[in-house]
Amino acid sequence: MGLLFELGPCTIANEGENTTVNDHGWNTYSNLLFLDQPADVGYSYSSGGVPVDNSPVAAEDVYAFLQLFLSRYPEYESAPFHVAGESYGGTYVPHIVSEIHRRNKKLDVSDGGSPSTLRKDLKKIHLESVILANGLTDPYVQFGKIPEYACEGPYALFKRGSPECDSLREKARTCQRLIQNCYDFQSRLTCLPPTHYCTNQLFEPFSSQCQSIAYVNLL
């Protein structure tokens, strides 16, 4: 999405038959690296091993990939590095940044606490910033606040006390119960239901009004 519809050098044109230059692409000001992760997501693939099913482990793989990338393209080794993500990126980007920061510290300081020479086979990643756009960082809190956003915020879609607002509040409570169940008993059986229910039931009022929950003030 980000590569071909938002900030990449090209955008899809002619109903998918062609591409056109994106005048607002971030590549005008920086080098961009788009990564499908974890392995087997999007265009990425693996040749065996244990499937990755959580963000902390995925972050370790991202770090390993970045080391391989910098080894292959050493001209980028000293460049400032920024990690950006949108939506669910609010969940996995902090893990990636934490892994980079943790490994950088290990490269700078030996186990004994005294300065050490950087390992020759690993590159220090010059982490400069973290960018999150509409990041999903705490689903329980964020989904629970949707009724307030839709009914009381500066861009409210519905009047306070309307049937739409009452319905949203009831759905938000159900959503939070499902999310809490996922937190308490983490499995596909407990975590898939809130994923489907919360997005379908709490986002639907916005889409029915031809609005986006992320950019409702711009539409």
Side-chain angles (χ1 to χ4, degrees):
M1 289 291 290
L3 172 60
L4 294 173
F5 290 95
E6 297 175 343
L7 52 88
C10 300
T11 56
I12 299 295
N14 301 329
E15 298 183 349
E17 296 294 328
N18 205 343
T19 60
T20 185
V21 173
N22 180 10
D23 294 331
H24 305 288
W26 288 12
N27 59 295
T28 303
Y29 305 99
S30 62
N31 298 300
L32 294 177
L33 176 63
F34 291 89
L35 179 63
D36 285 336
Q37 62 83 37
D40 299 317
V41 168
Y43 289 107
S44 68
Y45 61 91
S46 62
S47 57
V50 179
V52 175
D53 60 1
N54 63 77
S55 294
V57 174
E60 296 176 6
D61 285 351
V62 171
Y63 180 83
F65 164 80
L66 292 173
Q67 289 296 325
L68 293 172
F69 179 86
L70 293 176
S71 296
R72 177 64 178 81
Y73 302 100
E75 62 268 31
Y76 298 113
E77 182 179 342
S78 60
F81 190 74
H82 307 265
V83 184
E86 181 181 15
S87 189
Y88 193 70
T91 297
Y92 62 75
V93 163
H95 287 286
I96 293 172
V97 172
S98 177
E99 181 68 12
I100 292 173
H101 178 65
R102 183 180 70 84
R103 299 295 288 268
N104 277 347
K105 289 177 66 176
K106 283 192 173 183
L107 287 174
D108 284 334
V109 180
S110 68
D111 292 339
S114 59
S116 65
T117 303
L118 295 180
R119 287 179 54 183
K120 300 299 183 182
D121 58 332
L122 291 178
K123 312 291 185 181
K124 183 173 183 178
I125 299 172
H126 298 280
L127 184 64
E128 288 285 327
S129 72
V130 183
I131 305 169
L132 294 178
N134 301 314
L136 182 66
T137 57
D138 190 331
Y140 185 92
V141 171
Q142 289 173 274
F143 277 108
K145 286 293 185 179
I146 286 179
E148 180 180 328
Y149 175 68
C151 300
E152 302 177 24
Y155 309 106
L157 291 179
F158 309 107
K159 291 183 179 180
R160 183 185 302 182
S162 66
E164 291 86 356
C165 290
D166 292 341
S167 176
L168 271 176
R169 288 192 173 88
E170 180 60 34
K171 290 175 179 177
R173 286 191 286 269
T174 300
C175 170
Q176 287 185 309
R177 286 196 296 270
L178 291 171
I179 291 174
Q180 189 61 54
N181 195 41
C182 170
Y183 288 169
D184 294 339
F185 309 99
Q186 293 190 18
S187 71
R188 289 181 179 272
L189 291 177
T190 57
C191 294
L192 283 178
T195 300
H196 294 295
Y197 180 87
C198 297
T199 53
N200 291 336
Q201 296 299 319
L202 293 176
F203 288 175
E204 190 278 332
F206 292 87
S207 60
S208 67
Q209 298 287 323
C210 297
Q211 300 282 7
S212 165
I213 194 170
Y215 306 105
V216 67
N217 60 316
L218 301 178
L219 298 177

